Amino acid sequence: MPTTNTPSSNVPPAPFTAGDYRARMARAARSAADAGLAGLLVAPGPDLVHLTGHRPVTTERLTLLVLADGRDPVLVVPTLEAPDAGHAPGAPALTLRDWTDGTDPYTVAADLLDRTGRYGVSDNAWAMHLLGLQKQLPDTSYVALTEALPMLRAVKDASELARLEAAGAAADEAYGEILKVRFSGRKESEIAADLAHLLLSFGHSQVDFTVVGSGPNGADPHHEAGERTIGRGDMVVLDFGGLKHGYGSDTTRTVHVGEPTAEEQHVHDVVRAAQQAGFDAVRPGAACQDVDRAARAVVASAGYGEYFIHRTGHGIGVTTHEPPYMIEGEERPLVPGMCFSIEPGIYLPGRFGVRIEDIVTVTETGGRRFNNTPREMAIVE
Ligand code: ZN
Ligand code: ZN
Ligand code: ZN
């Protein structure tokens, strides 16, 4: 393991303010009203972090933010957690409605809702909580928040973009360091541990995944790093990311141990050209599916279309996978401030895989990458 230095990108960004969060909640409530919803019900998780800065634990005890256009946001909380609910750093003070153990929390929440309303519910709300509400209010109806408002968190503001850029730069630094380690004779799990250590040392607070797919394992796009020993001649897919300052990184490079064959080099060249074509398709007003089409066309015309077995990309923000998705059928337009991955791949079953992934944001003039390490195939030892 090489020693790591302290990069300048570890300087923490200015914290979000209560005003930032209040503006997000107001915008979300207005979007819900525009979508014909009576409001939004937000459980602990990424939506709540984004809207309020609050990070309560997710448990069988009901915690729920109720947002409705023109009304004050209200947080339903267990009484024993109420003291903490008002004190997340930078978070706005919310009106609390607490409930104590032994009482029915759903009657408290139900008092805040329209009896016949249709509500957007955060995707990760527990079924038991939604079912508890439905029992109290049988004439209400619910829709998943990403179905009702898939673009709610999609367009990032300047301070969010700065965080995503810093996360990308940290992942790039991790990649630069991993190229210096020995691959041959070591297990995938050891390289994965190196990557996790590097992400943390470059300022990540959380590692979400460290895919290390060597040789035939690279043909499985989400292969978990395992006990396979990497050898000379192996292609190795490295896909890693997590959260830094609360925002995600996610990058993939495919390296080779020793000199590649002509076929391996060719497949890598095709994926690199596809990734570039996807990037070149990024501009305001283009559809999400245009990015997928541009990348896929390059892979297909090289004869590998059937081996590109996943969508081209996904959004990123306070999570490492979220809308918008770069996939056929997603006709929503790209808007400046959206951030997502472009990650075409070719997977030859039983042989090897190649994927190249950058996080990209939409600007007025086209795409801008948050991952800027060389996309040429690196040769490792
Ligand atoms: Zn090889
Ligand atoms: Zn990835
Ligand atoms: Zn990804």
Side-chain angles (χ1 to χ4, degrees):
M1 200 69 244
T3 55
T4 54
N5 47 2
T6 304
S8 54
S9 53
N10 271 348
V11 177
F16 295 121
T17 66
D20 292 331
Y21 291 118
R22 272 194 287 271
R24 288 179 190 173
M25 286 190 283
R27 195 166 59 235
R30 206 174 319 117
S31 303
D34 290 346
L37 299 174
L40 299 177
L41 307 180
V42 185
D47 293 316
L48 192 66
V49 168
H50 183 256
L51 290 168
T52 70
H54 289 292
R55 296 171 185 271
V57 289
T58 308
T59 72
E60 77 287 357
R61 288 192 172 102
L62 179 71
T63 294
L64 193 70
L65 176 70
V66 179
L67 289 181
D69 199 25
R71 294 190 213 163
D72 274 347
V74 178
L75 188 67
V76 177
V77 285
T79 303
L80 78 167
E81 288 167 18
D84 294 333
H87 293 96
L94 293 167
T95 302
L96 301 182
R97 286 286 180 85
D98 67 312
W99 60 273
T100 51
D101 283 354
T103 64
D104 185 343
Y106 307 108
T107 59
V108 175
D111 277 347
L112 301 166
L113 307 189
D114 293 344
R115 307 202 72 80
T116 57
R118 181 169 171 78
Y119 285 88
V121 183
S122 48
D123 293 18
N124 62 313
W126 284 14
M128 65 175 282
H129 295 316
L130 185 53
L131 291 168
L133 269 178
Q134 279 183 315
K135 201 170 162 189
Q136 286 294 328
L137 298 171
D139 296 326
T140 50
S141 62
Y142 303 90
V143 59
L145 208 153
T146 54
E147 192 187 329
L149 301 175
M151 297 300 127
L152 183 64
R153 291 193 265 118
V155 177
K156 274 66 181 179
D157 65 27
S159 56
E160 293 182 286
L161 292 173
R163 284 167 167 79
L164 284 158
E165 184 169 19
D172 284 0
E173 290 181 277
Y175 176 69
E177 292 298 318
I178 203 69
L179 292 180
K180 299 174 188 170
V181 313
R182 183 164 190 87
F183 280 61
S184 184
R186 296 178 71 220
K187 291 176 179 176
E188 291 176 345
S189 57
E190 295 176 74
I191 303 295
D194 287 353
L195 278 170
H197 171 81
L198 286 164
L199 284 172
L200 295 171
S201 73
F202 288 116
H204 278 58
S205 59
Q206 176 180 322
V207 177
D208 283 6
F209 45 84
T210 50
V211 172
V212 179
S214 68
N217 289 341
D220 170 6
H222 273 176
H223 171 72
E224 291 287 330
E227 295 307 295
R228 185 180 183 276
T229 299
I230 300 168
R232 277 193 83 75
D234 281 348
M235 284 281 220
V236 187
V237 177
L238 303 170
D239 184 350
F240 49 97
L243 298 182
K244 173 171 177 167
H245 303 317
Y247 279 73
S249 69
D250 183 5
T251 186
T252 307
R253 293 292 183 265
T254 302
V255 303
H256 193 270
V257 187
E259 285 303 310
T261 65
E263 184 197 21
E264 288 169 332
Q265 184 64 59
H266 175 64
V267 171
H268 196 280
D269 288 346
V270 171
V271 173
R272 184 154 62 95
Q275 210 272 348
Q276 183 64 41
F279 177 76
D280 291 340
V282 176
R283 56 182 170 72
C288 291
Q289 68 181 2
D290 294 340
V291 177
D292 182 80
R293 286 176 178 179
R296 204 166 295 280
V298 173
V299 175
S301 70
Y304 291 100
E306 66 183 292
Y307 302 111
F308 179 9
I309 54 177
H310 55 71
R311 66 192 176 207
T312 292
H314 55 82
I316 189 167
V318 295
T319 71
T320 45
H321 283 90
E322 61 187 43
Y325 297 106
M326 304 299 119
I327 190 169
E328 181 66 32
E330 180 50 272
E331 296 177 346
R332 288 187 185 82
L334 299 180
V335 174
M338 278 183 179
C339 298
F340 49 84
S341 71
I342 300 178
E343 51 178 307
I346 294 175
Y347 308 94
L348 303 177
R351 301 185 61 212
F352 66 92
V354 175
R355 180 167 65 260
I356 299 173
E357 173 180 25
D358 293 324
I359 300 304
V360 169
T361 187
V362 184
T363 76
E364 294 294 344
T365 54
R368 184 163 76 87
R369 286 182 163 101
F370 289 154
N371 297 109
N372 294 288
T373 58
R375 282 167 287 279
E376 291 81 5
M377 191 198 304
I379 307 300
V380 296
E381 287 303 307

